[in-house]
Structures are given as C-alpha cells and as structure tokens.
Amino acid sequence: MGGKILKRFVPMVAIDVATKQEAIDLFDKLMVKPQPIVKIGMELYYGLGQVIVKEAKKRGFKVFLDLKLYDIPNTVHRAMVAIGRLGIDFTTIHAAGGSEMLIAGLAGLEEGAKEAGVEPAKLLAITQLTSIDEKILHEQQHVDLSLIESVQSYARLAEKVGLAGVVCSAHEIKAIREVTGDDFLCVTPGIRPTHAIKDDQKRVVTPAQARLDGSNAIVVGRPITQSFDPVAAYQEVQKAFLNEEEEK
C-alpha cells in the first residue's frame, strides 16, 4: 500500500428485497448519520424501475445501481445513457464483455449524465463474482488462469479503458493493487460480520479485515437488512470498516 491513505466510502447496504414497501421501510430505517450508500440490484430495479432509485435519492441516499451490464457494445451504450440520466453514484459492468463494451458503456454513462446535468456515476467492472471459486472457474467456465490471475487481468483492462475501479473479493485486493494505480477503487462484496453466516458467498471477510486489506468500499446485505435491528447492524459494520483507531 506504500503508506498511501485510501479513500473510503461509508458501507454500501444491499437492498435486496422483493417489494417497494420493503425497500422504503429499509430506506426510512437507515436514515442515520453517516448515511449508508444504498445498493439497488437486479431484483428491485427490474421489478420497480426508476421509481425505486428516485425514492432513495429523495431521502438523500447515494445510490449504487448494480445491474452488471453485459451485452454487445451498442446495447450497453444505450442502456448506460439511460442509467447516466438517473444521477446515481456507482454502477457496474462485466469486465468479461471486453474493452469495446467497457468503452461503450463508459461513454454512454457520461453522455446520459451530461444530458441530465449531473455528475457521471463511477463505473465499476465486475471481475469474478464472490460466488465463484477455483473449481467453478476451471471446471465450468474452463478458464486456464487462476482466480487471482483472472481478476488481475480484468482489473488491468478496466483501468486501461478508464473505469473507476472493480468489484472484487477482499482476498484479491492486494493482487489488484500490484497491477493498478493507487486511485483505482476496490469495492468488495462478500462481507460478513464475525457472527454472520456466509449464505451463498464463498470468499468472505469481515468489515475490519476488508479495511485492513485496503478496500475502498464494502457491500453488506443480509447481515444488515435481515437483522432484527438493521440500524444497529449497519452501525456495527460502519464502525468496524471506518474506525481507524485499530490501525494506529
């Protein structure tokens, strides 16, 4: 890390629920200081569309719209124009789509933001999902590279074409830092507090370990949203990730 002070964002809370009312209930509960970034994924956005983004934004939340675009460059460009108009803060695209698709997506995002008069979102590349392990990579995807080599390759590509960063496992941050610049963002899902179960995530770490590993932002879903007290669960995660006293 070379002693560089990394930019850290407040935790991102994945609002992976089925209905508008469930999402709004979580938004209203999570209006605390510091306010989390809310991550809206496929289930919620495909079900409700832009209305759910607007509900989050009118409550003052920064929004991570995690749709993981992956299609031919022209289609991705047009989709990103629409996303760019929303005034969100982060969004995602699959690095596996290749440089032409990534460049088209970034251009579309910037075009849409300019039309709406807002700042363009930070575009993050998906490297390998945290549900993927070496066995799946080799036996099902038939990739000859190791998981770390695959992630490094995608990170280099994303940085080369101008993306803000990647979504990756915290286990891969050190390897990514070896091949990218200091300002390249590593956003890490697969975060579980010590007492939480892993669910379907295979490569997980705690919020404190993600901080020590050099994550710029963490994504936490079910350990917060399915908690008996989502606010207390969020504040526990936030303190563990942002509290730098342990590093001194």
Side-chain angles (χ1 to χ4, degrees):
M1 305 279 290
K4 180 178 174 63
I5 299 174
L6 295 173
K7 179 175 179 59
R8 290 200 187 97
F9 299 88
V10 293
M12 300 170 167
V13 179
I15 311 297
D16 294 331
V17 293
T19 68
K20 179 180 178 181
Q21 192 57 54
E22 287 177 287
I24 288 175
D25 288 346
L26 282 169
F27 292 161
D28 290 341
K29 287 177 182 177
L30 292 169
M31 290 182 67
V32 296
K33 298 297 181 182
Q35 210 168 10
I37 297 166
V38 294
K39 185 176 87 73
I40 295 171
M42 295 177 186
E43 178 181 12
L44 209 50
Y45 192 78
Y46 291 163
L48 299 171
Q50 295 183 10
V51 66
I52 200 62
V53 174
K54 293 174 181 176
E55 289 287 351
K57 285 177 62 63
K58 79 179 183 181
R59 289 167 172 78
F61 289 104
K62 290 186 175 181
V63 176
F64 175 13
L65 185 59
D66 185 20
L67 300 182
K68 300 180 176 71
L69 269 62
Y70 189 4
D71 210 312
I72 63 172
N74 185 57
T75 299
V76 168
H77 176 270
R78 288 182 296 164
M80 281 295 188
V81 171
I83 290 172
R85 295 185 187 120
L86 296 176
I88 55 149
D89 301 275
F90 301 84
T91 193
T92 50
I93 189 169
H94 269 284
S99 61
E100 186 178 350
M101 189 196 78
L102 297 179
I103 291 167
L106 183 59
L109 194 63
E110 292 173 349
E111 181 182 328
K114 185 176 181 179
E115 287 179 11
V118 296
E119 286 293 316
K122 290 179 173 58
L123 185 54
L124 306 171
I126 302 298
T127 54
Q128 290 288 351
L129 301 174
T130 53
S131 58
I132 300 297
D133 57 16
E134 296 278 358
K135 181 180 176 66
I136 294 173
L137 187 75
H138 301 314
E139 296 183 8
Q140 296 179 25
Q141 295 185 353
H142 303 289
V143 173
D144 292 332
L145 298 176
S146 70
L147 193 59
I148 289 292
E149 289 170 335
S150 173
V151 168
Q152 284 181 313
S153 177
Y154 283 143
R156 280 194 299 263
L157 175 63
E159 184 179 47
K160 181 179 179 181
V161 300
L163 271 62
V166 291
V167 177
C168 64
S169 166
H171 293 296
E172 293 136 15
I173 294 173
K174 182 178 179 181
I176 289 169
R177 299 285 186 214
E178 290 174 356
V179 298
T180 60
D182 289 335
D183 294 327
F184 193 69
L185 300 179
C186 289
V187 176
T188 52
I191 304 297
R192 292 290 185 270
T194 305
H195 55 78
I197 62 173
K198 291 185 178 181
D199 298 304
D200 56 351
Q201 304 278 12
K202 290 185 171 63
R203 306 189 324 272
V204 303
V205 300
T206 65
Q209 187 59 52
R211 168 172 52 80
L212 294 172
D213 287 342
S215 175
N216 298 101
I218 58 173
V219 181
V220 186
R222 287 165 283 189
I224 292 174
T225 60
Q226 294 183 9
S227 169
F228 176 76
D229 187 344
V231 171
Y234 163 70
Q235 290 174 332
E236 177 187 347
V237 168
Q238 178 261 320
K239 181 179 179 182
F241 182 61
L242 295 181
N243 182 7
E244 298 180 352
E245 290 301 316
E246 297 172 20
E247 297 178 3
K248 297 179 180 177

